[in-house]
Structures are given as structure tokens and as C-alpha cells.
């Protein structure tokens, strides 16, 4: 039921709602990772568990993917999401900071910020603050009118996210706070950081009266004690809150999914709730649709994350309750016998086997219908070409100087490069391999050289947030023998729309290829595209990019929300870059996971 009448939320020695002590029992749901047709069911299941609040980030890069052009419609309609939560009687905590981490591309900051090499994102740099101000001019009116102080359900907002794991620039934190307050934010503000002193000291605004909260997933007694000690050091007697109580973890290519025992989690949550308030991160993880997966920072070899953000959460990627859900329900009932609970809603998934190939065309053959080349003497980065995500194809001609195999090198590029001579693959390099020699036979006095570079996702957390490797494509050039080659045509392939593909243009083996599979359904239902047998690429369902696949595993399928399908005819388009193709494709009622430690495929 919806919240009725005037309400008041305060932070004192406890949280107070209308003057009565209030324990926040929240769950994180990212509206932007879930099809809007699934919002109500997901929020209902949160309320049915007995939770009283939903928490969400707001991803700047999704709402302003092009500078000055904003989108708060469809799957990005945060107002509708919050109103739906209010109708179900859920309070809301919103985290609209410029940076969100969240295993989301570039931590939610727009990639176009990287075009300004004089700007330092996530700092008090006036150029950055001006960009945040422009964004907040559009975002904050949506949030302000939904604050509890305006009759809405937002009880708290976050200034910045885990800034203590990045820097200690209080001027920046205060600038973001001021932007929020100047635009009408008047609910309590907070920061969230690791619960140890160094993180809290660097990332909080505790001396400005902004609530400091912690992020952790176990040992609540120990972690809350450290948070309390930090509060007391600054003369505060605030309530204890874990803004992110991690109930699972995200998955990366080439490593098995992290699993957490449901009953151990329920006990850990119980320990936390006996001492303070929490938000479960995640309640439903959802999906990194399109190119929105993030990347974990490492020294030289960053670890890119998969499209599935299942997170081993209480609701699975499709939004159905798991064993964790029911373990948590029992714990909440034991701790709070009077809490209102109800049966969750589940939705059956569909399967369609052996969908035949309808059409196939090569990237090189249909390139002209997908992109218009930009010419320059030396290659430009993806960002300098005006592109943020996807692939960039670099093309030039080179002369044969010797009958011996020619030495080719791609200098300083990210993240993965495929080199073709007259459309024949001669080398594939990933991350630190890029720059190594590729020896290629040149079959004619003059040949065409193509380099297809994939942006596999930018770092979303830690010290490499502004590293050179965050700029994608070719950053320096391509050498033949010992010299840089000039005269490049560059084709931006963000692949936001594949409707222009010329399916009659033909294809040849061993090159990047688009394959279309048409099928019909009597009624739309969620499903999983099984990509077993394919190499690497992305998948479109009825024109929407549902994410990346890679034979590295472990996730060998891509989730398709029922809201993307329709009764009657549907189409799947697979863009595959390795030349590993299948003439039939299947939809499964569950994810296909290949354990990394042992061979074979299992469905779970």
C-alpha cells in the first residue's frame, strides 16, 4: 500500500520515522539493470520479504550518453520506478552521485568526459563540477519532488560513493553536496565507505554533519564497532548502517561464479540487523545490457566483468526467488515476528530449441551500411572519434617491401585487437599482448590492413579510474616494419542499431559476421540465449543489445527479459568476431554455465 499523508524522517541517535525509532531493512534494485516490465514484480518481492526500503544508484552515463542530451524515459524512467515503489509502501534511498562504481561501465560516469584531457573527473576541477551541475539540473527536479519532505518516499540521498577508496578531496565532496542542496535536496545526506578508519576519514563529510555509513558483507559486529568508533571520534552518536551488505558477488570472464551459502548469509544478516540498519546489495542484480559491464582494476591485466549481474542475489537474474530469499524470510520472521510478509511472485521462463539460421552477412561486406568512415593521418581513440562504446574498425593500405612475412605491431590500444590483411585474420591480441609482433604474409604488392578494436568495458573502481587504458581504440598507431603507417579510415561501430545491416551482401569464413535467427512465440516470456559453440561477440534480440558473450566462460548464455519479446515473430542477431558460428541457436529456460575447473556444460 502507498504511503499516506505527511511523514518525517530524521537521523538522531537512531533513525526516526514520524518520531518513532525506525530500522531500515532495505534491498538494492537497479532500475537500469532490469526491464521496466519487471520493476513491479521485483519491488513486490522485496516488500513481500518484509523489507521496508529500496535503494538504487542513478547512472549518469545512461541518462546523458551524449553531452547535453538527457533520457529519463522507458527503462531509464527513475521517476516511474520510485513512484511504483511508493505505491507498494516502500521507502527509497537514492544514490545519485556522479560516480556509482556498481560494476558499471566507468563507474557510471559518461565516457565522453575522457575527450577533455584537461579535465580531471571525480575531483573539484571546475570543468568537471560544471558537467555535474548540468546533469543535476535535469536529475534533481525528478528526485526533489519525491523526497519525504515533499510527500514522496525518498528518505535519504548519498553525496558520493566509496570516495574513501579513491581520494580524500573534501572540496570535491562539498561541491557535490552543494550542487544537491542548491537544487532542493533537503532529506538527510550520507556517504558510504569501507568501515575502517582510513576509508571513512578520506571519504566522509562527518564534520559537516553528513551521515557516514559502511559497506561490508560479513562480521557485522566487528565492522559496526569500527564504524561506531569513527562516529564517536568525531563526537557523533549516529545510528549504524551498512549501506551495502554484500550477499553475493559479481562474475568475471574466466572464473567461476561466486556462490554464498544461503543460511550463512541469513545468519550474517541477522547479526547485522540486531545492531543496525542495512541495505542488501544486491536484492536483484539484473543484467549489464549492451556494453555496460565494468572492469576490475589490476596492475597490467584488468579483469572485465560479464553481462550477467545475477550476483547470487535473493532474486536471480530473471527476478525469481532463490534459496537465499527463503532463508532470509525465515530470519526476518524470527527477529521481527510482527513483520508483514507475503508469498513472492515467480515467472516461468521459456525455451525454444534449434532455431535455424535465417541470414548471414560479414562485417566487411556490410560495413558501408553501418558506418561512415572518418579519415585522419594517424589513428584516433574511440573517444576522440566521438564514440563511447562498442567496436572501432581502423583501415588503411600498406605496401609489401619484402617477400618475407611482414612485421606488424599495434601500438598502445585497448582492449582487444584483431588484425586482418585483405580480410584474413593474422592476429588477435588482448590487453598487454597488444604491441607484440604479428608476422603476416602480404599476398599482393599493396594490401588492405584492418584492425578491429573492442572496448570490453572501462574500470569502474579504484586507482585506475583515470588511467590511459580507460581511453579505448588505438591510442598511438600501427607499425609496419619500424615505421608508423598513415592514412586511416576509421569506422565507429557502437552497434546501437543493427537495422541497417545489408543481409544480401554476402559473407566469408573466418571474419566477423552477423547471423540472424527468426522464431515465433505464442506468448512473451523470459529466456536465455545459449551461445555455446560461438566464439565472442554480442547479441541483439528484436533490435536490443542484450550483452556480450565469450567462449572463455563461465556464463555461456545471455538473459532476455520477456519484455523484449513479443507474441508472434521475433529475431535474434548474433555479432560474432572469431569466425566460430552455428547454423542453429537455442533458447533455454535457465542460464547455461560452464564450470571453469571442469569441462562440459551444465544448465542451472
Amino acid at each position: 500500500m502507498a504511503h499516506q499523508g505527511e511523514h518525517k524522517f530524521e537521523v538522531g541517535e537512531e533513525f526516526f520515522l514520524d518520531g518513532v525509532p525506525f530500522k531500515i531493512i532495505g534491498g538494492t534494485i537497479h532500475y537500469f539493470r532490469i526491464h521496466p516490465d519487471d520493476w513491479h514484480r521485483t519491488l513486490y518481492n522485496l516488500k513481500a520479504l518484509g523489507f521496508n526500503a529500496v535503494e538504487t544508484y542513478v547512472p549518469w552515463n545512461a541518462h546523458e550518453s551524449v553531452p547535453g542530451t538527457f533520457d529519463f524515459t522507458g527503462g531509464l524512467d527513475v521517476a516511474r520506478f520510485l513512484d511504483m515503489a511508493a505505491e507498494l509502501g516502500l521507502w527509497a534511498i537514492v544514490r545519485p552521485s556522479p560516480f556509482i562504481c556498481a560494476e558499471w561501465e566507468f563507474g557510471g560516469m559518461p565516457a565522453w568526459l575522457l575527450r577533455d584531457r584537461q579535465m580531471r573527473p571525480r575531483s573539484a576541477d571546475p570543468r568537471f563540477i560544471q558537467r555535474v551541475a548540468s546533469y543535476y539540473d535535469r536529475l534533481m527536479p525528478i528526485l526533489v519532488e519525491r523526497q519525504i519532505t515533499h510527500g514522496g518516499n525518498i528518505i535519504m540521498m548519498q553525496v558520493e560513493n566509496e570516495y574513501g577508496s579513491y581520494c580524500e578531496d573534501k572540496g570535491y565532496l562539498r561541491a557535490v553536496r552543494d550542487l544537491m542542496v542548491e537544487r532542493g535536496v533537503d532529506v538527510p545526506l550520507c556517504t558510504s565507505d569501507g568501515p575502517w578508519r582510513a576509508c571513512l576519514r578520506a571519504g566522509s563529510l562527518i564534520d559537516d554533519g553528513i551521515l557516514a555509513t559502511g559497506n561490508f558483507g560479513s562480521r557485522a559486529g566487528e565492522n559496526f564497532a569500527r564504524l561506531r568508533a569513527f562516529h564517536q571520534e568525531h563526537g557523533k552518536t549516529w545510528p549504524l548502517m551498512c549501506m551495502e551488505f554484500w550477499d553475493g558477488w559479481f562474475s568475471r570472464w574466466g572464473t567461476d561464479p561466486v556462490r554464498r551459502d544461503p543460511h550463512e548469509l541469513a545468519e550474517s544478516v541477522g547479526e547485522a540487523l540486531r545492531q543496525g540498519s542495512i541495505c542488501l546489495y544486491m536484492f536483484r542484480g539484473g543484467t549489464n545490457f549492451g556494453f555496460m559491464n565494468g572492469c576490475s582494476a589490476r596492475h597490467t591485466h584488468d579483469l572485465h566483468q560479464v553481462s550477467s549481474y545475477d550476483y547470487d542475489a535473493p532474486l536471480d537474474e530473471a527476478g525469481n526467488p532463490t534459496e537465499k530469499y527463503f532463508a532470509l524470510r525465515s530470519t526476518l520472521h524470527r527477529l521481527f515476528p510482527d513483520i508483514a510478509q507475503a508469498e513472492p511472485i515467480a515467472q516461468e521462463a521459456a525455451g525454444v530449441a534449434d532455431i535455424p539460421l535465417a541470414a548471414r552477412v560479414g562485417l566487411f561486406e556490410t560495413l558501408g551500411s553501418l558506418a561512415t568512415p572518418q579519415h585522419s593521418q594517424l589513428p584516433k581513440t574511440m573517444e576522440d572519434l566521438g564514440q563511447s562504446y562498442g567496436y572501432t574498425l581502423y583501415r588503411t593500405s600498406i605496401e609489401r617491401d619484402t617477400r618475407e612475412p611482414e612485421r606488424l605491431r599495434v601500438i598502445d590500444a585497448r582492449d582487444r585487437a584483431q588484425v586482418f590483411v585483405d580480410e584474413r585474420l593474422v592476429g588477435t591480441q588482448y590487453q598487454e599482448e597488444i604491441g607484440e609482433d604479428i608476422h603476416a604474409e602480404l599476398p599482393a604488392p599493396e594490401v588492405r590492413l584492418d584492425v578491429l578494436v573492442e572496448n570490453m568495458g572501462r574500470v569502474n573502481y579504484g586507482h585506475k579510474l583515470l588511467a590511459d587504458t580507460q581511453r579505448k581504440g588505438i591510442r598511438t598507431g600501427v607499425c609496419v616494419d619500424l615505421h608508423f603507417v598513415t592514412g586511416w579510415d576509421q569506422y565507429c561501430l557502437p552497434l546501437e542499431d543493427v537495422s541497417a545491416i545489408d543481409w544480401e551482401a554476402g559473407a566469408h569464413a573466418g571474419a566477423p559476421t552477423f547471423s540472424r535467427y527468426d522464431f515465433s512465440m505464442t506468448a512473451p516470456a523470459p529466456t536465455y540465449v545459449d551461445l555455446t559453440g560461438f566464439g565472442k561477440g554480442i547479441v541483439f534480440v528484436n533490435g536490443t543489445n542484450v550483452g556480450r558473450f565469450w567462449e572463455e566462460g563461465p556464463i555461456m548464455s545471455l538473459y532476455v527479459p520477456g519484455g523484449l519479446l513479443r507474441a508472434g515473430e521475433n529475431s535474434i542477431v548474433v555479432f560474432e568476431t572469431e569466425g566460430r558460428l552455428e547454423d542453429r541457436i537455442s533458447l533455454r529456460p535457465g542460464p547455461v554455465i560452464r564450470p571453469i575447473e571442469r569441462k562440459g556444460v551444465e544448465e542451472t
Side-chain angles (χ1 to χ4, degrees):
M1 59 183 177
H3 304 301
Q4 299 292 329
E6 299 277 334
H7 294 280
K8 186 176 183 180
F9 177 78
E10 299 172 284
V11 179
E13 293 190 0
E14 299 182 70
F15 293 123
F16 292 94
L17 183 63
D18 298 331
V20 178
F22 180 67
K23 185 182 290 289
I24 297 171
I25 309 175
T28 301
I29 300 169
H30 294 156
Y31 61 95
F32 47 94
R33 279 183 158 126
I34 301 171
H35 192 279
D37 286 4
D38 286 347
W39 287 350
H40 187 274
R41 177 167 58 98
T42 304
L43 289 163
Y44 175 88
N45 285 341
L46 180 67
K47 182 71 174 179
L49 187 56
F51 280 43
N52 56 31
V54 62
E55 177 267 306
T56 187
Y57 284 125
V58 180
W60 181 7
N61 62 350
H63 290 292
E64 192 184 4
S65 61
V66 175
T69 301
F70 298 88
D71 186 1
F72 292 96
T73 64
L76 296 175
D77 191 346
V78 61
R80 178 169 172 254
F81 176 80
L82 292 169
D83 292 347
M84 200 176 288
E87 290 166 6
L88 287 165
L90 289 164
W91 301 104
I93 298 171
V94 181
R95 304 165 78 184
S97 51
F99 167 86
I100 66 171
C101 181
E103 291 74 60
W104 190 254
E105 225 275 349
F106 200 24
M109 294 191 295
W112 47 258
L113 293 170
L114 296 168
R115 298 176 200 168
D116 183 352
R117 285 172 170 76
Q118 303 306 310
M119 179 194 295
R120 186 177 180 89
R122 211 180 176 197
S123 80
D125 182 338
R127 288 178 292 266
F128 180 66
I129 297 301
Q130 189 277 326
R131 286 294 193 178
V132 178
S134 174
Y135 165 50
Y136 279 2
D137 284 342
R138 297 295 298 271
L139 171 64
M140 289 305 161
I142 296 171
L143 303 181
V144 163
E145 67 175 351
R146 288 170 173 80
Q147 296 177 111
I148 192 172
T149 49
H150 293 239
N153 63 331
I154 298 175
I155 58 174
M156 190 157 53
M157 290 198 220
Q158 180 173 281
V159 175
E160 237 276 359
N161 183 62
E162 294 182 331
Y163 195 66
S165 298
Y166 178 71
C167 194
E168 56 181 12
D169 182 354
K170 303 298 184 182
Y172 163 64
L173 294 176
R174 292 187 177 108
V176 174
R177 176 207 54 196
D178 291 347
L179 291 177
M180 297 173 71
V181 172
E182 289 163 3
R183 284 155 182 77
V185 174
D186 56 9
V187 293
L189 298 175
C190 66
T191 56
S192 65
D193 289 285
W196 59 96
R197 186 180 185 276
C199 254
L200 292 164
R201 180 182 59 78
S204 72
L205 285 175
I206 191 167
D207 292 328
D208 294 45
I210 291 177
L211 177 68
T213 71
N215 294 346
F216 53 85
S218 61
R219 303 194 307 276
E222 172 188 337
N223 286 312
F224 272 150
R226 293 195 289 180
L227 180 60
R228 181 186 291 109
F230 183 73
H231 288 177
Q232 292 173 344
E233 181 184 338
H234 291 264
K236 306 296 183 184
T237 54
W238 282 331
L240 300 174
M241 178 161 188
C242 179
M243 185 62 72
E244 293 184 13
F245 193 94
W246 306 315
D247 52 28
W249 208 245
F250 54 91
S251 294
R252 306 181 180 102
W253 298 111
T255 60
D256 283 318
V258 175
R259 302 295 186 203
R260 184 171 184 180
D261 179 80
H263 301 288
E264 181 273 325
L265 169 67
E267 288 301 313
S268 294
V269 168
E271 178 189 3
L273 285 173
R274 280 187 284 269
Q275 301 175 68
S277 293
I278 68 168
C279 277
L280 277 187
Y281 190 98
M282 298 286 299
F283 180 70
R284 177 182 177 182
T287 308
N288 299 316
F289 294 115
F291 297 114
M292 287 296 105
N293 66 280
C295 176
S296 300
R298 292 297 183 268
H299 179 56
T300 58
H301 189 90
D302 296 332
L303 302 174
H304 291 98
Q305 293 138 18
V306 304
S307 290
S308 171
Y309 202 65
D310 176 85
Y311 211 84
D312 194 33
L315 297 187
D316 64 16
E317 189 172 6
N320 291 327
T322 67
E323 189 178 349
K324 279 185 176 176
Y325 184 97
F326 297 105
L328 287 166
R329 185 171 69 172
S330 297
T331 294
L332 259 65
H333 180 70
R334 186 173 70 249
L335 288 176
F336 312 107
D338 296 331
I339 204 166
Q341 295 181 319
E343 284 301 308
I345 300 171
Q347 185 177 27
E348 286 192 17
V352 181
D354 295 328
I355 302 168
L357 178 71
R360 179 167 286 157
V361 65
L363 170 64
F364 296 126
E365 285 79 1
T366 193
L367 184 62
S369 69
L370 293 174
T372 300
Q374 299 181 48
H375 187 81
S376 61
Q377 274 292 89
L378 293 170
K380 294 184 176 182
T381 65
M382 176 180 284
E383 297 77 18
D384 288 340
L385 291 167
Q387 182 183 355
S388 293
Y389 314 112
Y391 304 79
T392 307
L393 182 74
Y394 297 85
R395 172 171 287 178
T396 191
S397 296
I398 59 175
E399 293 186 23
R400 184 174 65 194
D401 293 310
T402 174
R403 290 289 182 178
E404 300 299 318
E406 193 64 80
R407 178 192 183 195
L408 311 176
R409 285 176 296 155
V410 180
I411 308 298
D412 194 24
R414 277 287 172 130
D415 290 300
R416 191 169 185 268
Q418 293 174 282
V419 181
F420 300 85
V421 170
D422 281 350
E423 301 183 4
R424 178 179 62 87
L425 180 68
V426 296
T428 300
Q429 296 179 333
Y430 179 39
Q431 294 200 41
E432 67 272 12
E433 300 165 349
I434 291 175
E436 294 179 359
D437 289 354
I438 297 172
H439 295 282
E441 300 270 359
L442 304 190
E446 184 172 311
V447 299
R448 193 174 76 203
L449 180 68
D450 289 302
V451 183
L452 181 65
V453 182
E454 178 186 0
N455 166 10
M456 289 182 58
R458 294 180 179 86
V459 166
N460 58 263
Y461 173 87
H463 65 284
K464 293 184 71 176
L465 192 68
L466 302 181
D468 286 346
T469 52
Q470 296 286 68
R471 291 183 172 86
K472 304 303 182 180
I474 298 176
R475 292 194 299 271
T476 300
V478 177
C479 285
V480 176
D481 189 50
L482 296 177
H483 63 274
F484 285 106
V485 181
T486 60
W488 290 89
D489 285 329
Q490 292 138 121
Y491 296 81
C492 296
L493 298 168
L495 297 185
E496 297 165 346
D497 181 4
V498 292
S499 62
I501 291 174
D502 179 2
W503 292 105
E504 305 299 321
H508 65 277
T513 303
F514 294 92
S515 301
R516 194 183 81 232
Y517 306 84
D518 299 333
F519 66 101
S520 62
M521 300 184 80
T522 55
T527 189
Y528 295 79
V529 184
D530 184 351
L531 280 309
T532 304
F534 293 86
K536 193 176 193 306
I538 56 176
V539 173
F540 298 84
V541 176
N542 291 333
T544 296
N545 183 345
V546 297
R548 307 177 195 263
F549 65 89
W550 194 7
E551 60 188 338
E552 289 283 312
I555 313 298
M556 306 299 291
S557 56
L558 284 168
Y559 174 67
V560 182
L564 291 181
L565 297 166
R566 49 185 176 246
E569 292 303 309
N570 297 268
S571 74
I572 297 170
V573 173
V574 178
F575 176 55
E576 203 280 345
T577 60
E578 315 302 295
R580 295 198 54 195
L581 304 171
E582 295 287 327
D583 287 339
R584 291 182 177 271
I585 200 167
S586 293
L587 304 178
R588 307 294 185 189
V592 181
I593 301 174
R594 185 194 68 200
I596 300 301
E597 298 301 323
R598 57 191 187 278
K599 300 300 181 184
V601 173
E602 65 178 23
E603 289 182 34
T604 60

